[in-house]
Amino acid sequence: MKNKYYQLLMAGSLLFGGSLYAQEKPGKFIDRDNMNLSVKAGDDFVEYSNGPWVRRNPIPAKETRWGAFNQLRDFNINAIKTILDETKGTKAPAGSPERRVADFYAAAMDSLAIEKLGYTPIQADLQHIAGLQFKSQIVTEIARLRSSGIASPLFGFYIGQDRKNVEKMVPQLGQGGTSLPDRDYYLKNDARSLKIQEAFKKYVATLFTLTGTPEAQAKANAETVFQLEKKLAEAQMARVEMRDPYKTYNKFAFAEFNQKTPAFNWALTFQDFGTTAPDSILVGAPKFFEAANKMLIETPVETWKTYLAWNVLRSSAGYLSSPFVKASFAYSQVLSGQKVQAPRWQRMSSMTDGTLGELLGQLYVAKYFKPEAKARMVELVANLRKAFAVRINKLDWMSAETKEKALAKLNAFTPKIGYPDKWKNYDGLEISATEYYGNIRRAGAWGFQENLAQLGKPVDRSKWGMTPPTVNAYYSPVMNEIVFPAGILQFPFFAADADDAINYGGIGAVIGHEMSHGFDDSGSQYDKDGTLRNWWTKDDLAKFKARTELLGKQFDAYTVQDTIHVNGKLTMGENIGDLGGLNMAYEAFKMTKQGKSSKKIDGFTPDQRFFLAWAQVWRGSSLPETEAQQVLTDPHSPGQYRTIGAPVNMDAWYKAFDVKPGDKLYKKPEDRIKIW
């Protein structure tokens, strides 16, 4: 539930996701040993800035990629483990954050108890599905699985802000029902897609076999699941199309939508959810629901039973005994190329953060986040906002009328830094020290009901979409807010004792990136109140789109593994975020004392240090399988292209590194893309 709700909330995020130092760093913050000074920055800025570092830091076997983000995340998960280890044997009272976190982690780490249970935690659910006889029961079971925290078959559902009436919380339906990472995996027949399809079928069959299904029947079940999900994939909108907030905004009177898709029996479904039918409903992909409605009518009950059993299996496998966990990892290896599974403590620490993030977060910020870090961030956000306003006023392609509205939106941004002002207390969620699967299931049911309870209530603007230890940041268009969890406020993004070039090239560009999401190809369609409403003149909008198209073509030309191209349309929002963010961070940096000077530190000018700080944030490498999947499914460009994508459009980068015609990355001044 949480993930589905925040798909809208976090339309723009930085990633793919005492202030301690996450890794050993030299006092100078830019280490020449990490650089290859024998190549020209203008020929290969990635190699120049980070080549030796990448070669000295191969991807660990338990990871699918490795870079600055991963190092910081690795540091944070170890910090979380330290906190969780300290809670062992706690005398904290029942109901306290310490006790609830300790109990959850204890149950998650009790592998002996989990092994003994095998698949018995889901046995009753599988038996219940096996006993279904009528199609009407299929829809009822879909609702039960969702509201019970077991699985989310067929479609997405959450209560969220109405994009055209942002003070109102309304039910929202989205396409879903598939297991593979993207619809194209079902529809393509290239070698890689076929390999993944076969691995998926093997995975489905294995999980059925582990519950006692004969092998032949398990294989037949796998084919049944794949074919049903392929039909759902054929009905889904593509990722690029779904980036258009107007295409996914389809408001129906409840009775009208029920008439279009009667097999879902929405009135009964909402009753099964635990609430009454609303007056209206927002639907992301109406054609998907019409196709799914037809499938509900035409597809045999036995096929749906197999599909629902599969949903229980795949949603639960990671929380069951080791044969299920190993089967899940074997399948994920084909997708990602990961060599070995992360150790159990790491997976369970992440699970604790993902399930009880604001209980664990209270312990995390008390130990690892100092007030002075927050104060410095408040200052940086204010400086970036000032710099963005300066840049908007100087735009030569935008009219005064649109500038006025852009500035109003910028001034309306709400920043959230570090951690929530009001902590979620998870009232009513029972946490046991002995029932791992039970805790997961109860947390899922609790999260569903917590979200459902927002229906008809005032919008809660205190909510966060990320936990405090998260190494990431996000922008919410409907909230018009920029959010920076405590986890990212560490080196190489931020360090209290670093010179301004480092902090502005690091966390400053992150702040600017999130601000720019309010003005990217999607976020720019929301006004200062977070309402999906046009505030552009026709001429200005045409000029903006022309510039974004040029940026799309730049990224379309980038390739990974020789032949796979980056998708400039899919990554458009993040690329605009990088270009705008780095430009405004540079503008803000030039307002500082260091930014106005030319004094070198360790042989580098202030401007060089600024761009090198940016580059070291994006240093790293990915496994080939992970990279291929990223290009298809991730709205973020690969790190090597984020390193160069924005700088090659900035005159300051050319001047800083003396980049000239003939250098491989050189772009003529008139070809450099300027948006924000």
Coordinates of all heavy atoms in Angstrom, one line a residue, residues 80-116:
I80 N 22.0 1.1 11.3 CA 20.8 0.5 11.8 C 21.0 -0.8 12.5 O 20.3 -1.0 13.6 CB 19.8 0.3 10.6 CG1 19.3 1.6 10.0 CG2 18.6 -0.6 10.9 CD1 18.6 1.6 8.7
K81 N 21.9 -1.6 12.0 CA 22.2 -2.9 12.7 C 22.7 -2.6 14.1 O 22.3 -3.3 15.1 CB 23.2 -3.7 11.9 CG 23.5 -5.0 12.6 CD 24.6 -5.8 11.8 CE 24.8 -7.2 12.4 NZ 25.5 -7.2 13.7
T82 N 23.6 -1.6 14.3 CA 24.1 -1.3 15.6 C 22.9 -0.9 16.5 O 22.9 -1.4 17.7 CB 25.0 -0.1 15.5 OG1 26.1 -0.4 14.6 CG2 25.6 0.4 16.8
I83 N 22.0 -0.1 16.0 CA 20.8 0.3 16.8 C 20.0 -1.0 17.2 O 19.6 -1.1 18.4 CB 20.0 1.3 16.1 CG1 20.7 2.6 15.9 CG2 18.6 1.5 16.8 CD1 20.0 3.6 15.0
L84 N 19.8 -1.8 16.2 CA 18.9 -3.0 16.5 C 19.6 -4.0 17.4 O 19.0 -4.6 18.3 CB 18.6 -3.7 15.1 CG 17.7 -2.9 14.2 CD1 17.6 -3.6 12.8 CD2 16.3 -2.8 14.8
D85 N 20.9 -4.1 17.3 CA 21.7 -5.0 18.2 C 21.6 -4.4 19.6 O 21.5 -5.2 20.6 CB 23.1 -5.1 17.8 CG 23.3 -6.0 16.6 OD1 22.4 -6.8 16.2 OD2 24.4 -6.0 15.9
E86 N 21.6 -3.1 19.8 CA 21.5 -2.5 21.1 C 20.2 -2.7 21.7 O 20.0 -2.5 23.0 CB 21.9 -1.0 21.0 CG 23.4 -0.8 20.7 CD 23.7 0.7 20.4 OE1 22.7 1.5 20.3 OE2 24.8 1.1 20.3
T87 N 19.1 -3.0 20.9 CA 17.8 -3.2 21.5 C 17.6 -4.6 22.0 O 16.6 -4.8 22.7 CB 16.7 -2.9 20.4 OG1 16.8 -3.9 19.4 CG2 16.8 -1.5 19.8
K88 N 18.5 -5.5 21.8 CA 18.4 -6.9 22.3 C 18.3 -6.9 23.8 O 19.2 -6.2 24.5 CB 19.5 -7.7 21.8 CG 19.5 -8.1 20.3 CD 20.7 -8.9 19.9 CE 20.7 -9.2 18.4 NZ 21.9 -9.9 18.0
G89 N 17.3 -7.6 24.3 CA 17.2 -7.7 25.8 C 16.8 -6.4 26.4 O 17.0 -6.2 27.6
T90 N 16.2 -5.4 25.6 CA 15.8 -4.2 26.1 C 14.8 -4.3 27.3 O 13.9 -5.2 27.2 CB 15.2 -3.3 25.0 OG1 14.9 -2.0 25.6 CG2 14.0 -3.9 24.4
K91 N 14.9 -3.4 28.2 CA 13.9 -3.4 29.3 C 12.9 -2.3 29.1 O 12.1 -2.0 29.9 CB 14.6 -3.1 30.7 CG 15.7 -4.1 31.0 CD 15.2 -5.5 31.2 CE 16.3 -6.5 31.6 NZ 15.8 -7.9 31.7
A92 N 12.9 -1.8 27.8 CA 11.9 -0.7 27.5 C 10.5 -1.2 27.6 O 10.2 -2.4 27.4 CB 12.2 -0.2 26.1
P93 N 9.6 -0.4 28.1 CA 8.2 -0.8 28.3 C 7.5 -1.3 27.0 O 7.9 -0.8 25.9 CB 7.5 0.4 28.9 CG 8.4 1.6 28.4 CD 9.8 1.0 28.4
A94 N 6.5 -2.1 27.1 CA 5.7 -2.6 26.0 C 5.1 -1.4 25.3 O 4.6 -0.5 26.0 CB 4.7 -3.6 26.4
G95 N 5.1 -1.4 24.0 CA 4.6 -0.2 23.2 C 5.5 0.9 22.9 O 5.2 1.7 22.1
S96 N 6.7 0.9 23.5 CA 7.7 1.9 23.3 C 8.4 1.6 21.9 O 8.4 0.5 21.5 CB 8.8 1.9 24.4 OG 9.5 0.7 24.4
P97 N 8.9 2.7 21.3 CA 9.6 2.4 20.0 C 10.7 1.4 20.1 O 10.8 0.5 19.3 CB 10.2 3.8 19.6 CG 9.3 4.8 20.3 CD 8.8 4.1 21.6
E98 N 11.5 1.4 21.2 CA 12.6 0.5 21.4 C 12.1 -1.0 21.5 O 12.6 -1.9 20.8 CB 13.4 0.8 22.7 CG 14.2 2.1 22.6 CD 13.4 3.3 23.0 OE1 12.1 3.2 23.2 OE2 14.0 4.4 23.1
R99 N 11.0 -1.2 22.2 CA 10.5 -2.5 22.4 C 9.9 -3.1 21.1 O 10.1 -4.2 20.8 CB 9.5 -2.6 23.6 CG 8.7 -3.9 23.7 CD 9.6 -5.1 23.8 NE 10.5 -5.1 24.9 CZ 10.1 -5.5 26.1 NH1 8.9 -6.0 26.4 NH2 11.0 -5.5 27.1
R100 N 9.1 -2.3 20.4 CA 8.5 -2.7 19.2 C 9.5 -3.0 18.1 O 9.3 -4.0 17.4 CB 7.4 -1.7 18.8 CG 6.4 -1.4 19.9 CD 5.4 -0.4 19.4 NE 4.3 -1.1 18.7 CZ 3.4 -0.4 18.0 NH1 3.4 0.9 17.9 NH2 2.4 -1.1 17.4
V101 N 10.5 -2.2 18.0 CA 11.5 -2.4 17.0 C 12.3 -3.7 17.4 O 12.6 -4.5 16.5 CB 12.4 -1.2 16.9 CG1 13.7 -1.5 16.2 CG2 11.7 0.0 16.2
A102 N 12.6 -3.8 18.7 CA 13.4 -5.0 19.1 C 12.6 -6.3 18.9 O 13.2 -7.3 18.4 CB 13.7 -4.8 20.6
D103 N 11.3 -6.3 19.2 CA 10.5 -7.5 19.0 C 10.4 -7.8 17.5 O 10.5 -9.0 17.1 CB 9.1 -7.3 19.5 CG 9.1 -7.3 21.1 OD1 10.1 -7.6 21.7 OD2 8.0 -6.9 21.7
F104 N 10.2 -6.8 16.6 CA 10.1 -7.1 15.2 C 11.4 -7.7 14.7 O 11.4 -8.7 14.0 CB 9.8 -5.8 14.4 CG 9.6 -6.1 12.9 CD1 8.4 -6.3 12.4 CD2 10.7 -6.1 12.1 CE1 8.2 -6.6 11.1 CE2 10.5 -6.3 10.7 CZ 9.3 -6.5 10.2
Y105 N 12.5 -7.1 15.0 CA 13.8 -7.6 14.6 C 14.2 -9.0 15.1 O 14.7 -9.9 14.4 CB 14.9 -6.6 15.0 CG 16.3 -6.9 14.4 CD1 16.5 -6.9 13.0 CD2 17.4 -7.2 15.2 CE1 17.8 -7.2 12.5 CE2 18.6 -7.4 14.7 CZ 18.8 -7.4 13.3 OH 20.1 -7.7 12.8
A106 N 13.8 -9.2 16.4 CA 14.1 -10.5 17.0 C 13.3 -11.6 16.3 O 13.9 -12.7 16.0 CB 13.6 -10.5 18.5
A107 N 12.0 -11.4 15.9 CA 11.3 -12.3 15.2 C 11.8 -12.6 13.8 O 11.9 -13.7 13.3 CB 9.8 -11.9 15.1
A108 N 12.3 -11.5 13.2 CA 12.8 -11.6 11.8 C 14.1 -12.4 11.8 O 14.4 -13.0 10.8 CB 13.0 -10.2 11.2
M109 N 14.9 -12.3 12.8 CA 16.2 -13.0 12.9 C 16.1 -14.4 13.4 O 17.1 -15.1 13.4 CB 17.2 -12.1 13.8 CG 17.6 -10.8 13.1 SD 18.5 -11.1 11.5 CE 20.0 -11.8 12.1
D110 N 14.9 -14.8 13.9 CA 14.8 -16.2 14.5 C 14.6 -17.2 13.3 O 13.5 -17.7 13.1 CB 13.6 -16.2 15.4 CG 13.6 -17.5 16.2 OD1 14.4 -18.4 15.9 OD2 12.7 -17.6 17.1
S111 N 15.7 -17.5 12.6 CA 15.6 -18.3 11.4 C 15.2 -19.7 11.8 O 14.5 -20.4 11.0 CB 16.9 -18.3 10.7 OG 18.0 -18.7 11.5
L112 N 15.5 -20.2 13.0 CA 15.2 -21.6 13.4 C 13.6 -21.7 13.4 O 13.1 -22.7 12.9 CB 15.8 -21.9 14.7 CG 17.3 -22.1 14.7 CD1 17.8 -22.4 16.1 CD2 17.7 -23.3 13.8
A113 N 13.0 -20.7 14.0 CA 11.5 -20.8 14.1 C 10.9 -20.7 12.8 O 9.9 -21.4 12.5 CB 11.0 -19.7 15.0
I114 N 11.5 -19.8 11.9 CA 10.9 -19.7 10.6 C 11.1 -21.0 9.7 O 10.2 -21.3 9.0 CB 11.6 -18.5 9.9 CG1 11.3 -17.2 10.6 CG2 11.3 -18.4 8.4 CD1 12.1 -16.0 10.2
E115 N 12.2 -21.6 9.9 CA 12.5 -22.9 9.2 C 11.4 -24.0 9.6 O 11.0 -24.7 8.8 CB 13.9 -23.4 9.4 CG 15.0 -22.6 8.8 CD 14.8 -22.5 7.3 OE1 14.6 -23.5 6.6 OE2 14.8 -21.3 6.8
K116 N 11.2 -24.0 10.9 CA 10.2 -25.1 11.4 C 8.8 -24.9 10.8 O 8.1 -25.8 10.6 CB 10.2 -25.0 12.9 CG 11.4 -25.5 13.6 CD 11.2 -25.4 15.1 CE 12.5 -25.9 15.8 NZ 12.4 -25.7 17.3

